[in-house]
Amino acid sequence: VLGLCEVENAQVLNDLNIAYQERDYSIVHYDSPDNRGIDVGMIYNKDAFSVENSNSHEVYITDNNSSKRRNTRDQLVVSGYLDGELMHIIVNHWPSRGADETKRIAAAKVNNSIIDSLRYIYKNPKIITMGDFNDDPFDKSIKKIIGAKKEIKNTGNKDMFNPYEEILVDKGI
């Protein structure tokens, strides 16, 4: 399973798929409302992962001091069986660090809402949220909104674990 950001369109994913014809890959892609035509997508090995459901969730962002909506990339949600185990994968590409932090917080709130919905529908779901968050693991969007924990031993059923916080801190990156 490979989540991809900066995807121009489904043809790009199909071209990647063709490049690896010896493998039985397939794609998941939705056009997002991003003004630049930039989407997220997923390529997966059909021998290891079978898609049960997929959808995209819009991230509504408004410009400061106005109600004008700014289009950005959707969040792709794919549920399926990975080696027989039901998994839920969310592929993200949040607004850049050049943008106001509130835009990434808005994206984090959408992500958190998706996670909460999956937890409501499924008992103890296995969720992976991945992609380009354009924030560090200790920034407000990840730490406070998503509630990601640094250490797996401190992670309960309602928490998300972020292995990258420990990597950044321990490696001094």
Side-chain angles (χ1 to χ4, degrees):
V1 173
L2 178 64
L4 298 163
C5 302
E6 300 283 342
V7 175
E8 185 177 354
N9 54 45
Q11 186 59 49
V12 172
L13 295 175
N14 283 319
D15 289 347
L16 282 172
N17 196 16
I18 290 168
Y20 294 96
Q21 290 181 55
E22 70 277 2
R23 305 256 172 106
D24 196 13
Y25 288 163
S26 193
I27 69 166
V28 180
H29 174 268
Y30 293 87
D31 286 321
S32 73
D34 186 275
N35 293 331
R36 299 161 299 164
I38 304 293
D39 306 324
V40 295
M42 189 171 95
I43 295 178
Y44 63 95
N45 183 333
K46 292 191 295 186
D47 292 335
F49 186 78
S50 64
V51 173
E52 289 293 308
N53 184 36
S54 69
N55 54 55
S56 66
H57 294 259
E58 286 191 49
V59 178
Y60 294 98
I61 296 175
T62 55
D63 288 332
N64 292 339
N65 302 320
S66 100
S67 60
K68 183 180 175 194
R69 182 173 169 211
R70 179 179 173 268
N71 294 329
T72 190
R73 292 144 315 247
D74 291 349
Q75 293 181 19
L76 174 64
V77 182
V78 182
S79 297
Y81 288 89
L82 179 64
D83 290 332
E85 194 164 359
L86 184 60
M87 303 290 293
H88 308 280
I89 301 166
I90 309 166
V91 183
N92 300 269
H93 187 186
W94 293 0
S96 74
R97 290 195 63 89
D100 187 322
E101 176 188 45
T102 59
K103 292 172 176 55
R104 289 183 304 285
I105 288 172
K109 287 178 179 177
V110 169
N111 197 260
N112 200 41
S113 175
I114 294 166
I115 292 167
D116 286 345
S117 294
L118 290 168
R119 286 181 175 147
Y120 180 78
I121 295 167
Y122 302 95
K123 182 178 178 171
N124 298 320
K126 293 179 174 28
I127 302 168
I128 298 171
T129 187
M130 65 165 77
D132 185 353
F133 299 100
N134 278 312
D135 259 345
D136 289 322
F138 38 80
D139 286 334
K140 183 178 180 181
S141 62
I142 304 292
K143 202 66 163 163
K144 300 242 190 271
I145 306 298
I146 302 293
K149 306 287 186 192
K150 175 183 175 185
E151 297 179 9
I152 199 161
K153 67 181 180 184
N154 296 330
T155 306
N157 283 343
K158 300 288 184 185
D159 296 320
M160 297 296 286
F161 168 60
N162 187 346
Y164 293 104
E165 183 176 357
E166 188 171 339
I167 290 168
L168 279 175
V169 171
D170 291 351
K171 304 285 185 207
I173 297 174

